[in-house]
Amino acid sequence: MKDKAVNFMKIEFDARSINENFARTSVAAFAAQWDPSIAVISDIKTVVSEAVTNSIVHGYAEQEDKSKCPIYIVCKLNENGVINIKIKDKGRGIEDVPTAMQPLYTTDEGGERSGMGFTIMQSFTDRIKVSSKIGKGTTVILEKRLTGR
């Protein structure tokens, strides 16, 4: 049975590195209304950073004009104290999601990326779902229980 949403937020922004902090802060501020611990807020900021950075760095890697590269975030706070965070891009997509989610897997041939983004997201959330289509983009759905202090 789906839990009823008690609040909802939707934002869209360009896939520019400068917007990564905006995304993480916006989602953390939205989650704060449930009065979670500082640790939970930190976890939320971390997973949003990872997902948004993946969209910017991998999803839109070939795009020079980032004004044509949207990232969408939809958040729902549910009556059961769980936040659902959906982060979506319309980038190049992931060919093999299970492989991409393996620790240390990276397509970065320059060696600047560690391949730990999905591993971090899995570690700091209660549930993660990733769906992707080549040429259509990637959607990451994160679920985190917000426990009050």
Side-chain angles (χ1 to χ4, degrees), residues 2-126:
K2 278 195 165 185
D3 285 291
K4 182 179 174 189
V6 295
N7 206 354
F8 170 85
M9 172 187 86
K10 181 167 44 172
I11 57 176
E12 176 184 343
F13 52 91
D14 293 342
R16 301 175 196 268
S17 294
I18 197 165
N19 288 333
E20 179 269 329
N21 189 48
F22 164 72
R24 64 189 255 135
T25 303
S26 298
V27 175
F30 181 75
Q33 64 190 280
W34 204 267
D35 197 26
S37 68
I38 296 296
V40 170
I41 289 289
S42 180
D43 290 351
I44 288 169
K45 287 172 132 181
T46 299
V47 298
V48 170
S49 273
E50 292 294 335
V52 169
T53 298
N54 277 354
S55 290
I56 295 167
V57 171
H58 301 293
Y60 293 119
E62 291 88 28
Q63 302 294 323
E64 287 186 37
D65 183 358
K66 298 299 184 183
S67 69
K68 296 181 181 179
C69 302
I71 296 176
Y72 309 91
I73 299 180
V74 176
C75 296
K76 285 189 245 178
L77 279 173
N78 298 310
E79 63 186 0
N80 65 354
V82 171
I83 187 170
N84 296 93
I85 307 162
K86 179 161 91 172
I87 301 171
K88 179 180 179 177
D89 67 55
K90 293 183 176 183
R92 67 181 181 182
I94 301 170
E95 189 172 323
D96 183 353
V97 171
T99 297
M101 292 182 74
Q102 294 299 312
L104 304 177
Y105 175 82
T106 183
T107 57
D108 177 28
E109 295 177 11
E112 292 183 30
R113 304 287 168 192
S114 67
M116 293 299 289
F118 283 125
T119 302
I120 290 167
M121 286 183 251
Q122 288 171 321
S123 296
F124 292 171
T125 58
D126 299 314

Side-chain angles (χ1 to χ4, degrees), residues 121-136:
M121 286 183 251
Q122 288 171 321
S123 296
F124 292 171
T125 58
D126 299 314
R127 197 183 95 149
I128 180 174
K129 180 181 177 191
V130 180
S131 58
S132 191
K133 291 187 180 177
I134 297 299
K136 301 286 185 188

